[in-house]
Amino acid sequence: AEVSESTDIADGQSAANSTPATLAESTAATEVSEKTINKTITDEALGTTIKVNKVRRNVTFNSDLSNLGKSQTSFAVEVTVTAGEKYGSTISGSIFKLLTGSKTTYESDVPFTEYIAKEKLTVFETPTRGKSATGWLFYYVSNEQAGDAALRYT
């Protein structure tokens, strides 16, 4: 069974195929903002639960990529995933998509390794059947397209 559900990381609402909503008011490119979401999506068919815990906007790019931070807005989303026990489905970070006004969203923790180390964050790793994992997913999009955001699980 395919589940396509979005969690609006602006106000914590969840709806199938929802339209993204504004994450936060515009902030300076160097100012990290954090918002608690605490919204859970349940995939009844697989017995999997996904909780979006919080989102950070404008996380710092690595020092050798500081120019990228001038044209891109970054997002870090903390999720807790509990994999179902019945099926051996894989709930990896790649099944989550950040929806914005942009046609191109880059998904990678590589440009943020310095920030991850400094903040002592755990990058999301796939949980095994019946187990839970909590970690961060990282994205960046062009500044012009970064006003609205939602996290989609498919």
Side-chain angles (χ1 to χ4, degrees), residues 7 9 23 50 52 54-61 68-69 72-79 92-100 102 104-112 115-116 123-124 135-143 146 148-154:
T7 293
I9 55 179
L23 170 63
I50 301 158
V52 180
K54 52 187 142 182
V55 63
R56 292 182 184 179
R57 185 179 179 131
N58 297 324
V59 297
T60 310
F61 284 90
L68 193 58
Q72 305 287 307
T73 298
S74 56
F75 294 87
V77 182
E78 185 188 47
V79 295
S92 66
S94 65
I95 67 164
F96 297 99
K97 303 297 178 211
L98 185 74
L99 304 178
T100 68
S102 177
T104 306
T105 301
Y106 301 97
E107 174 187 353
S108 175
D109 57 281
V110 174
F112 307 103
Y115 180 81
I116 292 166
V123 175
F124 179 76
W136 291 85
L137 304 166
F138 294 86
Y139 306 91
Y140 57 101
V141 299
S142 69
N143 288 340
D148 296 337
L151 188 68
R152 174 161 290 163
Y153 155 71
T154 53

Side-chain angles (χ1 to χ4, degrees), residues 5-33:
E5 189 163 357
S6 296
T7 293
D8 178 333
I9 55 179
D11 60 16
Q13 298 301 307
S14 176
N17 299 315
S18 70
T19 302
T22 304
L23 170 63
E25 294 178 16
S26 180
T27 57
T30 58
E31 182 182 337
V32 176
S33 62

Side-chain angles (χ1 to χ4, degrees), residues 29-90:
T30 58
E31 182 182 337
V32 176
S33 62
E34 182 174 290
K35 183 173 185 171
T36 300
I37 305 300
N38 287 332
K39 181 67 182 175
T40 301
I41 298 170
T42 301
D43 183 335
E44 299 291 339
L46 297 177
T48 298
T49 59
I50 301 158
K51 181 179 177 193
V52 180
N53 301 315
K54 52 187 142 182
V55 63
R56 292 182 184 179
R57 185 179 179 131
N58 297 324
V59 297
T60 310
F61 284 90
N62 291 342
S63 56
D64 62 334
L65 299 172
S66 60
N67 282 337
L68 193 58
K70 294 176 185 174
S71 63
Q72 305 287 307
T73 298
S74 56
F75 294 87
V77 182
E78 185 188 47
V79 295
T80 299
V81 175
T82 303
E85 292 186 19
K86 187 174 181 182
Y87 300 104
S89 62
T90 301

